[in-house]
């Protein structure tokens, strides 16, 4: 009986062990992960049928698409053809690679990103080299950004300016647009990372508490507008101007009609009074 019991117990442990394996996404709390084989964990993002590479950052386009799905629905995987109402939020179209789908003839990347942030004032300002070192380590360790893409860091207490530059992105490097989006989410306490990895920044052991944040994206080419878009914009402006002029003219005509009517009423009343006064005098 003992060998049989040991065999059955071992079989149960072997069957149950995959359920205890860790199958989560370290870089995306919205990813839905499942074991599809021994030691194999596949993660997918809500709103997209593409697998998620949890060893790096998820593309900004896929993240914005995932934000369209209500939070309660992010816990379950849904077919990609499902549609969700998002109260007017931007629902982007993404290429298979994760970049935004081009709306004109070519795809334009974000080449420069300017980040401006302020920290809470402390008794003494930090030193620039220490601030630059802390932020460089943060972007490298948390967002997997190579330091070569951090073009400059300037510090005038309490203002910190960071310039990211990426002319070309090799396949193995993260995109600076994705890094900036993750950083913005972290600062706004809406991190894409799991809840247990909260953003903490320290300079020589002292906390760097970020108060305000501004991020500015600069594409390698300025945006282009087609003649159809331009004509539609001009048509909308002309329509608004004509409607405004028509309403104004209607108001002026209405006021003029009321004034004329009031004047005629007053004139008729005055004539009746004069006539009545003349009749009354002749009778006397």
């Amino acid at each position: 009986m003992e060998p049989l019991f040991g065999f059955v117990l071992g079989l149960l442990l072997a069957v149950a062990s995959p359920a205890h394996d860790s199958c989560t996404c370290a870089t995306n709390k919205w990813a839905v992960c499942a074991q599809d084989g021994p030691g194999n964990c596949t993660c997918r993002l809500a709103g997209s049928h593409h697998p998620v590479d949890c060893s790096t950052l998820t593309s900004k386009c896929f993240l914005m698409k995932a934000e369209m799905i209500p939070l309660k629905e992010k816990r379950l995987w849904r077919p990609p053809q499902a549609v969700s109402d998002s109260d007017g939020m931007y629902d982007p179209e993404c290429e298979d690679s994760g970049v935004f789908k081009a709306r004109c003839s070519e795809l334009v990347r974000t080449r420069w990103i300017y980040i401006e942030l302020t920290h809470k004032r402390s008794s003494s300002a930090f030193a620039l080299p220490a601030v630059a070192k802390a932020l460089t380590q943060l972007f490298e360790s948390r967002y997997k950004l190579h330091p070569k893409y951090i073009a400059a860091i300037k510090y005038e207490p309490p203002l910190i300016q960071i310039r990211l530059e990426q002319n070309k992105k090799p396949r193995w490097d993260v995109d600076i647009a994705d890094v900036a989006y993750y950083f913005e989410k972290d600062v706004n306490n809406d991190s894409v990372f799991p809840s247990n990895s909260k953003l903490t920044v320290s300079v020589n052991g002292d906390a760097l508490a970020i108060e305000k944040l501004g991020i500015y994206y600069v594409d390698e080419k300025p945006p282009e507008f087609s003649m159809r878009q331009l004509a539609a914009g001009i048509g909308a402006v002309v329509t608004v101007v004509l409607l405004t002029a028509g309403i104004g003219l209607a108001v002026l005509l209405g006021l003029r009609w009321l004034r004329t009517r009031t004047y005629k009423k007053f004139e008729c009343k005055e004539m009746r009074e004069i006539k009545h006064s003349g009749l009354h005098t002749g009778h006397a």
Side-chain angles (χ1 to χ4, degrees):
M1 290 296 293
E2 289 184 1
L4 180 60
F5 175 77
F7 173 77
V8 173
L9 179 61
L11 182 62
L12 291 175
L13 291 175
V15 173
S17 60
H20 295 285
D21 291 341
S22 176
C23 187
T24 57
C25 188
T27 58
N28 197 319
K29 67 181 180 182
W30 293 334
V32 180
C33 305
Q35 291 278 0
D36 55 3
N40 190 20
C41 178
T42 301
C43 298
R44 299 181 185 275
L45 190 63
S48 170
H49 64 280
H50 298 285
V52 177
D53 183 1
C54 295
S55 65
T56 187
L57 304 185
T58 306
S59 73
K60 179 180 178 180
C61 189
F62 284 156
L63 290 177
M64 294 181 69
K65 199 165 189 65
E67 287 180 314
M68 299 291 294
I69 309 300
L71 183 60
K72 63 181 180 180
E73 297 182 9
K74 290 176 183 173
R75 300 173 185 171
L76 300 175
W77 177 245
R78 301 192 312 159
Q81 66 270 18
V83 179
S84 172
D85 185 14
S86 59
D87 297 331
M89 290 179 62
Y90 176 52
D91 185 7
E93 293 295 329
C94 309
E95 299 284 357
D96 291 341
S97 60
V99 299
F100 289 91
K101 188 179 290 292
R103 296 186 180 275
C104 300
S105 58
E106 61 177 331
L107 182 66
V108 178
R109 287 190 62 255
T110 297
R111 183 176 178 180
W112 297 280
I113 292 180
Y114 296 88
I115 302 174
E116 292 186 354
L117 58 93
T118 58
H119 65 82
K120 293 182 180 179
R121 295 181 179 273
S122 57
S123 56
S124 59
F126 300 105
L128 173 58
V131 171
K133 180 180 179 181
L135 292 174
T136 300
Q137 290 178 346
L138 170 71
F139 279 89
E140 184 176 10
S141 61
R142 187 172 179 86
Y143 308 111
K144 315 302 180 185
L145 181 67
H146 196 284
K148 66 182 179 182
Y149 298 124
I150 304 177
I153 297 179
K154 296 183 179 181
Y155 179 46
E156 294 181 3
L159 175 65
I160 301 175
Q161 294 177 312
I162 307 170
R163 181 164 62 91
L164 307 180
E165 182 175 355
Q166 191 176 50
N167 296 329
K168 294 183 179 180
K169 189 194 84 65
R171 183 179 55 85
W172 53 85
D173 282 339
V174 296
D175 196 305
I176 58 173
D178 301 336
V179 172
Y181 195 70
Y182 267 76
F183 182 61
E184 181 181 11
K185 288 289 186 180
D186 278 337
V187 173
N188 293 333
N189 294 321
D190 186 23
S191 179
V192 181
F193 292 108
S195 57
N196 59 348
S197 30
K198 185 178 180 180
L199 175 66
T200 56
V201 186
S202 61
V203 180
N204 292 333
D206 294 329
L208 182 70
I210 300 174
E211 285 189 313
K212 297 180 180 180
L213 174 69
I215 300 180
Y216 307 92
Y217 299 82
V218 181
D219 293 338
E220 56 187 357
K221 289 185 178 181
E224 298 178 357
F225 299 95
S226 64
M227 292 303 297
R228 181 180 299 179
Q229 292 174 323
L230 183 61
I234 294 176
V237 172
V238 171
T239 301
V240 172
V241 171
L242 291 177
L243 285 175
T244 304
I247 293 173
L249 182 60
V251 171
L252 290 176
L253 291 175
L255 292 175
R256 183 178 179 182
W257 178 77
L258 288 174
R259 186 172 57 186
T260 304
R261 184 180 180 187
T262 303
Y263 175 77
K264 288 183 177 179
K265 283 184 176 180
F266 176 78
E267 185 180 29
C268 292
K269 182 180 179 181
E270 189 177 35
M271 292 297 294
R272 285 197 301 269
E273 290 179 352
I274 294 174
K275 185 177 180 180
H276 179 72
S277 177
L279 292 173
H280 180 72
T281 303
H283 178 73

